[in-house]
Amino acid sequence: MVEASDLMPHTTTPNSLGSLGEFGLIEQLKRQLRPRSPQVLRGIGDDAALLHHHPSTHHLVVTTDLFVEGIDFLRHLSPWRDIGYKATVANISDIAAMGAAPRFMLVGLAIPGNMTPQNIRHLYQGMQQASRPYQIDIVGGDLSTSPSGLTIAITLFGGVEPGLALTRDGAKVGDLIYISGTLGDAKAGLDLLLKRSDDPRWKKLIHRHRRPTARVELGRLLSRRKVASAAIDVSDGLSGDLQHVCTASGVGAVLQELALPISSGCRRYAKSRHQQATELALAGGEDYELLFTIHPRDRSRLARIAKAVDCPLTCIGTIVPRARGLILETRDGTHRPLVTTSYRHFS
């Protein structure tokens, strides 16, 4: 629950965390984050949340993600609401990749002394904005002091019907590889923010970086209609996340460069910077699109799902035997090894 560690900010001005105190902040968040679901029997304010759960009808799906200042975000590049929004979407996207429905969220914050109560309210407003479409309730968490930057730790609980969870290890030789939406926009948006660009031509790219979309409805339909054989969300980059699926499934893949769905804005941006849009698509993480595989016989069923979710779904390659490895079929038809250029911690 939101309690535990004492907040010890550097200042105690009337509008500071020092004047509000840990329990004052908890009470403020309790009022802001009132639960909507009748399944929340006890939310913020006790030692733990009390939830009404139906284990016989759904399997519990749980994910957790860290957003660390200086690694996962830079506070000067985005408003607090956008930082909270994106941290939440990162977790919702993991639940979507499992074909599950997100339900309850815990939030842990390690807060530096130079943040204000208003900063934190705005951070949680962004979390609420991301959660609202899926009726997710924030039911607790923890607060602590940070000696340096802000750390956001989110744990999200969801549910999926028994036997219908999507996993990374189900891809079979001959399966087709699909991706939702477009790739590379978030990476282009980050590059623009780092360059302090305010060119209105690139507004959509920056928005895609700050306010990504979690493909929950798509994941649910792929699961319920038993169309996808394997799935993952693209959070670290297409090349690396495809490798995760292939490693888990014991297969290889041929990716077609010409098939990669790249927005016109991303292509124009890459051209303006003398970059290859393909590299943005392969290396850029945080698009939070769903990468999944299907049996070729299910293409017509997938087309109906694409129409239902109003999202483009593009076939970008084929699953092949493991011995062939990961291959990129280039624009001129030649094959070369697909080099993993995604983001990796500790490297």
Side-chain angles (χ1 to χ4, degrees), residues 236-310:
D236 294 324
L238 176 63
S239 59
D241 290 322
L242 176 60
Q243 185 178 54
H244 292 325
V245 170
C246 289
T247 299
S249 298
V251 296
V254 175
L255 208 59
Q256 296 170 331
E257 182 181 9
L258 281 173
L260 296 178
I262 303 173
S263 70
S264 58
C266 186
R267 290 187 186 279
R268 289 196 303 272
Y269 168 75
K271 185 176 181 180
S272 73
R273 300 292 182 182
H274 306 290
Q275 292 178 272
Q276 292 294 322
T278 297
E279 294 308 312
L280 290 173
L282 292 174
E286 300 185 332
D287 287 309
Y288 297 111
E289 299 293 349
L290 287 192
L291 174 69
F292 58 95
T293 57
I294 71 166
H295 192 282
R297 67 169 176 266
D298 289 325
R299 278 179 288 196
S300 59
R301 296 174 65 204
L302 184 63
R304 290 193 290 272
I305 289 176
K307 186 175 181 180
V309 299
D310 191 26

Side-chain angles (χ1 to χ4, degrees), residues 4-60:
S5 305
D6 291 332
L7 287 169
M8 300 171 58
H10 303 313
T11 61
T12 57
T13 61
N15 294 318
S16 71
L17 287 174
S19 62
L20 187 61
E22 177 188 0
F23 297 106
L25 179 58
I26 291 170
E27 195 59 35
Q28 186 179 94
L29 293 174
K30 183 178 178 180
R31 291 193 298 269
Q32 180 177 338
L33 306 173
R34 294 184 188 278
R36 295 179 296 261
S37 171
Q39 288 181 267
V40 181
L41 304 179
R42 179 76 64 172
I44 294 172
D46 223 305
D47 289 301
L50 183 62
L51 311 174
H52 186 61
H53 181 47
H54 300 283
S56 61
T57 59
H58 284 77
H59 285 169
L60 189 64

Side-chain angles (χ1 to χ4, degrees), residues 92-93 95-97 99-102 134 213-221 290 309:
I92 296 174
S93 183
I95 296 290
Y134 313 107
T213 300
R215 303 294 185 183
V216 174
E217 187 180 5
L218 173 59
R220 292 294 286 146
L221 287 176
L290 287 192
V309 299

Side-chain angles (χ1 to χ4, degrees), residues 56-101:
S56 61
T57 59
H58 284 77
H59 285 169
L60 189 64
V61 181
V62 185
T63 186
T64 189
D65 211 349
L66 287 172
F67 246 52
V68 180
E69 185 173 352
I71 300 295
D72 300 290
F73 72 93
L74 300 171
R75 70 166 74 182
H76 67 278
L77 296 185
S78 298
W80 288 114
R81 289 185 182 90
D82 289 345
I83 292 170
Y85 188 100
K86 186 173 180 179
T88 303
V89 166
N91 284 268
I92 296 174
S93 183
D94 283 335
I95 296 290
M98 300 292 291

Side-chain angles (χ1 to χ4, degrees), residues 65-277:
D65 211 349
L66 287 172
F67 246 52
V68 180
E69 185 173 352
I71 300 295
D72 300 290
F73 72 93
L74 300 171
R75 70 166 74 182
H76 67 278
L77 296 185
S78 298
W80 288 114
R81 289 185 182 90
D82 289 345
I83 292 170
Y85 188 100
K86 186 173 180 179
T88 303
V89 166
N91 284 268
I92 296 174
S93 183
D94 283 335
I95 296 290
M98 300 292 291
R103 291 299 297 119
F104 305 108
M105 193 163 92
L106 300 172
V107 181
L109 298 181
I111 306 170
N114 57 4
M115 285 186 68
T116 68
Q118 184 180 46
N119 295 154
I120 296 171
R121 284 197 299 274
H122 289 172
L123 187 74
Y124 273 93
Q125 284 170 3
M127 294 178 189
Q128 289 176 289
Q129 289 168 0
S131 300
R132 195 169 295 123
Y134 313 107
Q135 299 181 316
I136 298 168
D137 280 312
I138 301 174
V139 296
D142 191 24
L143 301 174
S144 181
T145 305
S146 169
S148 53
L150 173 70
T151 294
I152 307 168
I154 292 178
T155 300
L156 186 60
F157 298 83
V160 65
E161 298 82 355
L164 296 186
L166 302 178
T167 62
R168 301 178 182 183
D169 61 357
K172 302 290 190 296
V173 173
D175 281 356
L176 303 176
I177 305 168
Y178 274 82
I179 191 76
S180 64
T182 56
L183 296 167
D185 292 340
K187 177 65 166 65
L190 174 60
D191 290 349
L192 286 159
L193 287 171
L194 290 170
K195 293 179 174 67
R196 304 295 181 95
S197 173
D198 58 359
D199 190 325
R201 291 181 299 168
W202 315 127
K203 186 177 180 180
K204 288 185 178 179
L205 298 177
I206 291 174
H207 183 78
R208 281 272 284 164
H209 172 75
R210 287 175 167 170
R211 296 252 169 169
T213 300
R215 303 294 185 183
V216 174
E217 187 180 5
L218 173 59
R220 292 294 286 146
L221 287 176
L222 291 173
S223 163
R224 286 176 164 177
R225 298 185 185 181
K226 300 182 179 180
V227 172
S229 52
I232 191 173
D233 73 320
V234 180
S235 55
D236 294 324
L238 176 63
S239 59
D241 290 322
L242 176 60
Q243 185 178 54
H244 292 325
V245 170
C246 289
T247 299
S249 298
V251 296
V254 175
L255 208 59
Q256 296 170 331
E257 182 181 9
L258 281 173
L260 296 178
I262 303 173
S263 70
S264 58
C266 186
R267 290 187 186 279
R268 289 196 303 272
Y269 168 75
K271 185 176 181 180
S272 73
R273 300 292 182 182
H274 306 290
Q275 292 178 272
Q276 292 294 322

